Amino acid sequence: MAEVTVVLVDDHPVVHDGVRAWLEQDPQRRIELVAAGDDVEVAWTAPGLTADVVLLDLNLHGTMVVPEVSRFAEAGRRVVVYSEHSDDATVLAVMERGAYAFLAKQEARDHC
């Protein structure tokens, strides 16, 4: 049984495939991807609603969804932002809105 469950919100299918592949490489299966989609609503519906962590891309279909970090945090969700936008202002903005962590998409699998 997984120690942590995750819902992935990203608008790039290659990211979905990559995250799934990363998780499948862990022989202990400590992290389970329970849902994935290209819109934040996937995290508000079953099974994404019960995930321990929301792994959130900030730029969905050309729209920055920074305010969604607050929405998730206010609902008690742990949000890990996973974004190509890693400038100081963006990182600070999501952390101030309650993100649990920030990962730049340039980071390697082991860091994530």
Side-chain angles (χ1 to χ4, degrees), residues 1-10 12-26 28-38 42-43 45-57 77 80 82 112:
M1 183 168 180
E3 296 172 22
V4 177
T5 56
V6 175
V7 57
L8 171 62
V9 182
D10 194 294
H12 293 97
V14 69
V15 173
H16 291 229
D17 293 345
V19 169
R20 280 189 185 94
W22 288 354
L23 297 177
E24 289 172 2
Q25 290 177 5
D26 178 9
Q28 298 173 346
R29 302 280 194 228
R30 294 170 292 185
I31 302 171
E32 179 185 0
L33 184 64
V34 296
D38 66 351
V42 70
T45 57
L49 182 61
T50 61
D52 298 317
V53 174
V54 178
L55 184 57
L56 177 67
D57 181 13
R77 309 288 300 275
V80 174
Y82 184 56
C112 186

Side-chain angles (χ1 to χ4, degrees), residues 60-83:
L60 298 175
H61 305 287
T63 300
M64 293 294 283
V65 295
V66 173
E68 293 295 330
V69 175
S70 297
R71 182 177 168 212
F72 287 123
E74 288 167 3
R77 309 288 300 275
R78 284 190 178 169
V79 181
V80 174
V81 173
Y82 184 56
S83 180

